[in-house]
């Protein structure tokens, strides 16, 4: 590839980076289908995807550390992003299948955060994270944490429509 042609097409290094990050986010959003009635399994699938595609987490983390500002917000994936996922979680909450104590958009953010806690882009130490026993232990922890976070309780307010 010719460096000049890259700049002609993308305009700058910043615009090239944003295009690459947007493509990576699109891949992530499309890679893991959501089952809003089983958020622990969704979190585990996100965890597995993140472990197998650490480059996506590194790109997002680097953007967050070095480039996130009003002038350089996180790019949107080339899909209807999380709107359908948020609505699916909200519907599961209304049906009483998912804990309704936390609004659906925030709950989904927490599920994402738990799923990538030990990602390559995480600020937490991840020494020996490739060891199978570490991955299995962390995977089980993500599943249990999301189960506890999302399981409906008898006292939860449920909005019926």
């Amino acid at each position: 590839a010719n460096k000049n042609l890259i700049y002609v097409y993308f305009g700058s290094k910043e615009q090239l980076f944003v295009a690459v990050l947007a493509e990576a986010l699109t891949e992530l959003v499309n890679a893991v289908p959501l089952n809003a009635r089983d958020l622990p399994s969704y979190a585990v699938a996100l965890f597995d995807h993140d472990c197998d595609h650490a480059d996506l987490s590194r790109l997002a983390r680097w953007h967050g550390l070095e480039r996130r500002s009003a002038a350089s917000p996180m790019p949107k994936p080339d899909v209807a992003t999380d709107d359908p996922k948020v609505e699916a979680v909200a519907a599961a909450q209304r049906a009483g299948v998912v804990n309704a104590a936390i609004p659906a958009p925030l709950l989904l953010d927490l599920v994402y955060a738990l799923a990538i806690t030990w990602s390559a882009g995480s600020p937490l130490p991840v020494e020996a994270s490739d060891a199978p026993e570490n991955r299995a232990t962390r995977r089980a922890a993500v599943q249990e944490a999301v189960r506890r976070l999302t399981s409906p309780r008898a006292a939860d307010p449920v909005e019926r429509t």
Side-chain angles (χ1 to χ4, degrees), residues 141-159:
V142 166
Q143 185 171 28
E144 180 61 15
V146 173
R147 185 193 66 76
R148 289 178 184 218
L149 179 67
T150 62
S151 292
R153 296 184 304 242
D156 281 344
V158 176
E159 178 185 323

Side-chain angles (χ1 to χ4, degrees), residues 83-156:
D83 292 344
K85 290 181 180 183
V86 168
E87 182 46 44
V89 171
Q93 288 177 315
R94 287 190 297 272
V97 179
V98 171
N99 187 324
I102 301 171
L106 300 179
L107 185 61
L108 200 52
D109 286 347
L110 289 169
V111 170
Y112 290 149
L114 287 167
I116 64 167
T117 297
W118 293 285
S119 73
S122 173
L124 297 176
V126 290
E127 294 86 18
S129 62
D130 290 338
E133 63 275 9
N134 287 345
R135 183 170 176 171
T137 299
R138 290 172 176 166
R139 189 177 195 269
V142 166
Q143 185 171 28
E144 180 61 15
V146 173
R147 185 193 66 76
R148 289 178 184 218
L149 179 67
T150 62
S151 292
R153 296 184 304 242
D156 281 344

Side-chain angles (χ1 to χ4, degrees), residues 6 13 18-19 36 38 48 56 67 72 75-76 79 100 107-108 117 122 126 137-138 151 155 157:
I6 292 171
K13 284 185 201 178
V18 168
D38 187 4
D48 287 339
L56 301 178
R67 298 178 176 246
S72 181
K76 297 286 186 194
V79 292
L107 185 61
L108 200 52
T117 297
S122 173
V126 290
T137 299
R138 290 172 176 166
S151 292

Side-chain angles (χ1 to χ4, degrees), residues 37-56:
R37 293 175 170 266
D38 187 4
L39 290 173
S41 293
Y42 177 64
V44 165
L46 285 170
F47 172 84
D48 287 339
H49 185 271
D50 186 69
C51 289
D52 296 337
H53 300 89
D55 53 325
L56 301 178

Side-chain angles (χ1 to χ4, degrees), residues 54-67:
D55 53 325
L56 301 178
S57 290
R58 286 188 193 105
L59 277 173
R61 174 61 82 195
W62 189 74
H63 180 274
L65 292 173
E66 298 291 330
R67 298 178 176 246

